[in-house]
């Protein structure tokens, strides 16, 4: 029991001394307010030093360590009172120096005591954090390695992706890229290579020669495409021709043309009788295909005379051409302007191939086409065709009559004007003079 009472007394003493220090501190703070900034910094250092001393010193010597600062604090006010009012600046500087040196001495003393008592524990404590740091460093380094592994996997994955992409581009050969093109795109690329081909023209060549490679080679040689284009630079070359021909062959029902089949089609055309607009239109399409087959045979066999061609195919070519022109003139009056333009190019190809028919039907086909253009509103082109025919022919009565009569249903005043103009070249001796007078008086 006596031991318990002594512990309580010591605790009270420590508490009383702490209260004394607390009581003295406010007095110092009030006096320090009149001092410069240098004095305010010194108490701050003391307050910061005390907690360090309390932590390092043992619990038994707390009272002994706190007595010295308390006495020094009491001495400071005594020195300040003795200084005269005139030398305030000098006194303020001197205490500031003392205050700066005293805490330094106290720190040295306390530091020596603390180090003398706790050298061994301090070293151990300092060594432990170093070991902990090493351990943490060692632990962190595996983490970095582990973090580095996913990076390598990502790189590997990206490399795999890039390699797969490169592999796909390498696998896409020229033939595979051509295979993805549509027929229309192939035709556009053929035009870019200065090829004058259409789907129908290729079909006709395949009808005569169903070998895709042979037709392709003929086109390449015809347009001199070998080595003219580079696929890497231009995006196409002569290899596109075979792709185009094969696509046409796949999309069209192409069968080898037999002579007996062609003869039956021509016989049907020569015996056809006009019925109505719809039936006549379907017949025109059929005769157009039959005429194209005849033309392709003439081109393939290099035949330029209708009689020789008749011997080859076994049909009356001249009668068939005349029948086809009559049907076209009747049907195309109600069709579109584009159909007239297409027919013009086609029929001139037929007449150009067969020279004897060209000499016989050139004026007629020019007037037929001119009439169709006028009926579709293209007066300029129609008038130009008639002007050319009138200038190149001596017998003008029929031409003037055709020219004036076509305008009767379009512009009667212009029809009378054309008939009046015809009287300068035509009189009652010409066959179509009465027809011209009828238009003029109509």
């Amino acid at each position: 029991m006596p031991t318990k009472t002594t512990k309580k007394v010591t605790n009270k003493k420590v508490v009383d001394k702490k209260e004394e220090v607390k009581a003295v501190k406010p007095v110092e703070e009030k006096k320090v307010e009149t001092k410069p900034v240098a004095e305010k910094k010194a108490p701050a250092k003391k307050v910061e030093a005390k907690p360090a001393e309390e932590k390092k010193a043992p619990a038994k010597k707390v009272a002994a360590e706190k007595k010295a600062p308390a006495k020094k604090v009491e001495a400071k006010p005594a020195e300040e009172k003795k200084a005269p009012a005139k030398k305030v600046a000098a006194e303020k500087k001197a205490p500031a120096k003392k205050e700066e040196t005293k805490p330094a001495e106290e720190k040295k003393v306390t530091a020596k005591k603390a180090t003398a008592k706790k050298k061994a524990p301090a070293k151990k404590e300092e060594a432990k954090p170093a070991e902990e740091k090493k351990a943490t460093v060692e632990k962190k380094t595996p983490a970095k390695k582990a973090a580095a592994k996913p990076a390598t996997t990502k790189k590997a994955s990206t490399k795999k992706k890039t390699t797969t992409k490169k592999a796909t581009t390498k696998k896409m050969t020229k033939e595979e890229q051509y295979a993805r093109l549509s027929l229309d795109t192939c035709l556009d690329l053929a035009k870019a290579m200065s090829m004058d081909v259409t789907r129908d023209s290729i079909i006709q060549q395949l009808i005569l020669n169903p070998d895709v490679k042979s037709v392709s080679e003929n086109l390449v040689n015809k347009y001199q495409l070998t080595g003219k284009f580079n696929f890497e630079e231009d995006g196409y070359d002569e290899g596109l021709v075979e792709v185009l021909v094969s696509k046409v062959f796949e999309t069209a029902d192409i069968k080898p043309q037999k002579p007996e089949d062609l003869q039956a089609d021509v016989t049907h055309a020569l015996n056809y009788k006009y019925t109505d607009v719809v039936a006549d239109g379907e017949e025109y399409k059929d005769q157009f295909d039959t005429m194209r087959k005849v033309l392709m045979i003439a081109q393939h066999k290099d035949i330029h005379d209708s009689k020789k061609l008749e011997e080859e195919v076994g049909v009356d070519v001249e009668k068939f051409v005349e029948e086809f022109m009559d049907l076209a003139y009747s049907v195309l009056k109600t069709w579109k302007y584009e159909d007239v333009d297409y027919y013009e190019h086609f029929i001139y190809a037929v007449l150009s191939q067969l020279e004897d028919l060209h000499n016989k039907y050139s004026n007629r086909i020019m007037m037929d086409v001119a009439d169709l253009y006028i009926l579709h509103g293209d007066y300029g082109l129609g008038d130009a065709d008639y002007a050319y025919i009138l200038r190149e022919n001596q017998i003008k009565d029929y031409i003037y009559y055709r020219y004036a009569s076509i305008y009767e249903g379009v512009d009667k005043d212009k029809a009378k004007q054309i008939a009046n103009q015809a009287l300068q070249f035509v009189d009652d001796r010409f066959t179509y003079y009465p027809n011209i007078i009828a238009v003029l008086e109509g």
Side-chain angles (χ1 to χ4, degrees), residues 14-273:
V14 173
V15 172
D16 292 337
K17 288 179 182 180
K18 286 182 180 180
E19 289 176 356
E20 288 176 2
V21 173
K22 290 180 182 179
V24 174
K25 285 181 180 179
V27 176
E28 292 176 355
E29 291 174 356
K30 288 180 181 179
K31 290 178 181 181
V32 170
E33 288 177 357
T34 59
K35 292 180 181 181
V37 180
E39 291 178 357
K40 291 180 181 179
K41 291 181 179 178
K45 291 180 180 178
K46 290 178 182 179
V47 174
E48 292 175 357
K50 286 177 182 178
E53 291 172 2
E54 289 175 1
K55 289 179 181 179
K56 292 178 181 179
K60 293 180 181 181
K61 295 182 179 181
V62 173
E65 289 178 356
K66 290 183 179 178
K67 285 180 182 180
K71 289 179 182 180
K72 289 178 182 177
V73 172
E74 288 176 358
K76 286 180 182 178
E79 292 175 358
E80 291 173 358
K81 288 178 183 179
K82 290 178 183 180
K86 293 180 181 179
K87 297 180 181 179
V88 176
E91 288 175 358
K92 288 179 180 178
K93 291 179 181 178
K97 291 180 180 178
K98 291 178 181 179
E99 287 173 2
E100 290 176 356
T101 54
K102 286 178 181 178
E105 293 174 359
E106 290 174 0
K107 288 179 182 178
K108 289 180 181 179
V109 174
T110 53
K112 287 179 180 180
K113 292 180 179 180
T115 52
K117 292 178 181 179
K118 295 185 178 180
K119 283 182 180 178
K123 289 180 181 178
K124 290 179 181 179
E125 288 175 359
E126 290 176 359
K128 288 179 181 178
E131 293 175 357
E132 290 176 358
K133 287 181 181 179
K134 290 180 181 179
T136 53
V137 170
E138 290 176 357
K139 290 179 181 178
K140 287 180 181 179
T141 51
K144 289 181 181 178
K145 291 179 180 178
K149 288 180 181 179
T152 55
T153 54
K154 287 182 180 178
K155 289 180 180 178
S157 61
T158 53
K159 287 180 180 179
K160 287 180 181 179
K161 289 180 180 178
T162 52
T163 52
T164 52
K165 287 181 180 179
K166 289 180 180 178
T168 53
T169 53
K170 287 180 180 179
K171 288 180 181 178
M172 285 291 292
T173 60
K174 179 179 71 174
E175 289 74 14
E176 291 175 346
Q177 294 183 36
Y178 277 152
R180 291 188 175 186
L181 299 177
S182 63
L183 178 59
D184 293 334
T185 304
C186 290
L187 289 171
D188 292 337
L189 294 176
K191 291 179 180 178
M193 291 191 293
S194 301
M195 294 179 64
D196 186 14
V197 293
T198 61
R199 181 176 180 272
D200 293 334
S201 65
I202 295 173
I203 289 174
Q204 293 309 314
Q205 295 185 40
L206 290 171
I207 290 173
L208 299 173
N209 183 13
D211 187 3
V212 174
K213 290 185 177 180
S214 177
V215 173
S216 302
E217 290 176 358
N218 292 334
L219 290 173
V220 171
N221 295 331
K222 180 180 179 180
Y223 294 100
Q224 298 177 357
L225 301 177
T226 303
K228 191 174 182 180
F229 300 96
N230 188 350
F231 179 78
E232 299 297 334
E233 297 177 358
D234 303 318
Y236 48 81
D237 57 6
E238 64 272 13
L240 177 67
V241 178
E242 185 174 351
V243 177
L244 172 61
V245 175
S246 64
K247 287 182 180 293
V248 173
F249 185 83
E250 292 172 359
T251 56
D253 186 12
I254 299 172
K255 297 178 181 179
Q257 186 65 40
K258 297 179 181 179
E260 55 269 20
D261 295 337
L262 183 61
Q263 292 172 4
D265 293 339
V266 172
T267 302
H268 172 77
L270 295 175
N271 295 325
Y272 179 77
K273 295 180 179 180

Side-chain angles (χ1 to χ4, degrees), residues 268-285:
H268 172 77
L270 295 175
N271 295 325
Y272 179 77
K273 295 180 179 180
Y274 296 2
T275 53
D276 54 27
V277 177
V278 177
D280 294 347
E282 294 297 327
E283 179 65 20
Y284 169 72
K285 292 178 181 179

